[in-house]
């Protein structure tokens, strides 16, 4: 799929703002180290999460590492964060490996998640963040290594983990067929020669975390809910966000004609796009957030 991924990340910022579970976020605040923590965010993209956490007063000092496999996206994050900080009157200093925003040093690190986890890291993070990431990896395989990136007893915050339910309203006769096939495609997805997530990651994380010795201390729903206002318009850039969701479903299923016929998929997409343009479409995705601590005894 070819589209403006940075634009998509910006468009979904307001959707994530509403979705992130406040009970789980409050527990993160309680667990956050008092001094200057080292925070590592995997699959960090454009840096919208560090901006959000600064806006919300969760992070203000220390070091925040943005880890992503996309070099171009990380380069864009430097400018995006600079513009964001300037709009808030924050002090900005560009650095060779990132930028200083107020009292927070933001480092940009390019690496594929699996390779980064497999590498030896002498300096571990105090806080580990993964937003809309764990449903894209084979959690039982990746999770133990991820937790090794934390100091013993370090804090993890795993958010927007898809949990097997997408809803489009008004209903359509092909909904069950299309969405069942889309979830099957998630369950069979492979990247870098490895299984790449599943459609019910959210609910299964409870047991995966416990099996890894890091049971959740707080968990709760973080559903995306995008809907038009009384005048039929969508907030901010959220109509673009939903268009990308529809395109993602199209791209996943247009080579799966044995699961969904081309005509049926085309009809479903055409009606959903018409409803979106008319300010009629509601989109909901069920997801879960988790916060907890890594095992207190770890070996590299």
């Amino acid at each position: 799929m070819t589209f403006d991924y940075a634009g998509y990340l910006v468009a979904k910022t307001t959707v994530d703002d509403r979705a992130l579970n406040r009970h789980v976020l409050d527990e993160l605040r309680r667990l956050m180290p008092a001094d200057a923590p080292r925070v590592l965010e995997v699959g960090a993209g454009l840096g919208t999460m560090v901006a959000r956490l600064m806006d919300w007063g969760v992070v203000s000092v220390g070091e925040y590492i943005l880890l992503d496999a996309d070099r171009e996206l990380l380069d864009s994050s430097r400018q995006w964060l600079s513009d964001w900080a300037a709009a808030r009157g924050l002090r900005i200093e560009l650095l060779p490996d990132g930028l200083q925003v107020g009292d927070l040093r933001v480092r940009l690190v390019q690496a594929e998640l699996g390779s980064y986890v497999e590498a030896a890291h002498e300096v571990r993070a105090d806080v580990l963040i993964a937003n809309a990431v764990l449903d894209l990896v084979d959690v039982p395989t990746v999770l133990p290594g991820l937790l090794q990136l934390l100091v013993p007893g370090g804090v993890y915050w795993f958010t927007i983990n898809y949990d097997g339910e997408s809803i489009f309203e008004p209903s359509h006769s092909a909904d069950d067929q299309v969405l069942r096939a889309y979830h099957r495609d998630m369950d069979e997805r492979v990247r870098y020669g490895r299984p790449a997530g599943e459609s019910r990651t959210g609910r299964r994380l409870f047991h995966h975390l416990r099996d890894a010795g890091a049971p959740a201390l707080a968990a709760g729903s973080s559903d995306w809910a995008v809907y038009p206002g009384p005048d039929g318009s969508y907030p901010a850039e959220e109509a673009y966000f939903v268009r990308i969701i529809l395109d993602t479903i199209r791209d996943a299923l247009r080579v799966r004609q044995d699961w969904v016929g081309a005509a049926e998929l085309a009809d479903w997409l055409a009606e959903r796009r018409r409803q979106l343009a008319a300010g009629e479409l509601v989109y909901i995705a069920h997801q879960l957030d988790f916060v907890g601590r890594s095992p207190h005894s770890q070996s590299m």
Side-chain angles (χ1 to χ4, degrees):
M1 177 168 51
T2 301
F3 66 97
D4 177 11
Y5 189 58
Y8 163 76
L9 294 178
V10 172
K12 88 180 187 82
T13 300
T14 53
V15 183
D16 281 355
D17 284 347
R18 290 195 302 274
L20 289 164
N21 188 281
R22 295 310 193 264
H23 166 66
V24 177
L25 179 65
D26 286 344
E27 185 68 3
L28 173 67
R29 291 179 192 273
R30 189 184 71 81
L31 296 172
M32 185 68 64
D35 297 327
R38 175 178 288 107
V39 181
L40 169 64
E41 183 183 351
V42 299
L46 201 59
T48 55
M49 182 60 82
V50 64
R52 176 183 293 115
L53 292 180
M54 292 189 75
D55 266 343
W56 290 356
V58 180
V59 174
S60 60
V61 298
E63 181 182 61
Y64 196 113
I65 301 169
L66 303 183
L67 176 72
D68 203 281
D70 190 329
R71 178 75 261 171
E72 184 176 344
L73 194 58
L74 285 174
D75 289 342
S76 297
S77 73
R78 187 193 302 264
Q79 186 61 54
W80 187 85
L81 282 169
S82 295
D83 293 344
W84 169 86
R88 285 155 178 77
L90 297 173
R91 175 174 56 87
I92 310 160
E93 180 186 355
L94 297 183
L95 304 172
D97 63 347
L99 64 163
Q100 184 81 23
V101 182
D103 294 324
L104 183 68
R105 179 178 180 181
V106 180
R107 291 181 55 215
L108 311 177
V109 177
Q110 180 189 13
E112 187 270 322
L113 178 57
S115 300
Y116 188 84
V117 168
E118 290 169 2
H121 297 280
E122 295 181 2
V123 180
R124 304 190 198 184
D126 302 298
V127 180
L128 175 66
I129 296 173
N131 183 58
V133 167
L134 294 186
D135 49 25
L136 302 175
V137 301
D138 183 29
V139 174
T141 301
V142 172
L143 184 59
L146 270 181
L147 294 173
Q148 290 282 343
L149 300 176
L150 280 167
V151 298
V155 179
Y156 66 78
W157 188 45
F158 298 152
T159 53
I160 312 292
N161 298 286
Y162 187 67
D163 192 43
E165 191 71 32
S166 287
I167 300 166
F168 293 90
E169 285 289 337
S171 62
H172 187 284
S173 59
D175 281 345
D176 288 347
Q177 183 184 17
V178 169
L179 295 174
R180 187 183 308 113
Y182 182 52
H183 292 153
R184 181 179 174 186
D185 180 76
M186 287 185 189
D187 293 336
E188 297 184 7
R189 187 171 48 202
V190 174
R191 287 199 185 99
Y192 303 106
R194 304 168 178 167
E198 59 177 339
S199 62
R200 292 175 175 81
T201 295
R203 70 193 67 181
R204 291 172 180 162
L205 261 172
F206 285 101
H207 299 290
H208 292 324
L209 288 165
R210 185 170 293 278
D211 290 346
L217 298 177
S221 62
S222 52
D223 296 353
W224 281 338
V226 182
Y227 51 92
D231 63 354
S233 65
Y234 294 86
E237 300 297 322
E238 295 181 16
Y240 176 74
F241 167 77
V242 177
R243 284 200 298 274
I244 296 303
I245 296 295
L246 293 173
D247 288 350
T248 301
I249 295 172
R250 176 202 64 197
D251 291 347
L253 298 185
R254 62 184 171 187
V255 296
R256 303 288 196 176
Q257 294 185 23
D258 52 332
W259 299 352
V260 180
E264 290 83 355
L265 179 61
D267 178 71
W268 184 86
L269 288 167
E271 180 61 9
R272 292 312 188 196
R273 288 169 178 152
R274 184 200 67 76
Q275 292 166 339
L276 182 64
E280 301 170 356
L281 186 62
V282 174
Y283 168 62
I284 301 167
H286 177 48
Q287 293 149 160
L288 290 167
D289 290 356
F290 298 82
V291 69
R293 291 192 181 278
S294 65
H296 280 77
S297 176
Q298 300 184 62
S299 58
M300 292 298 285

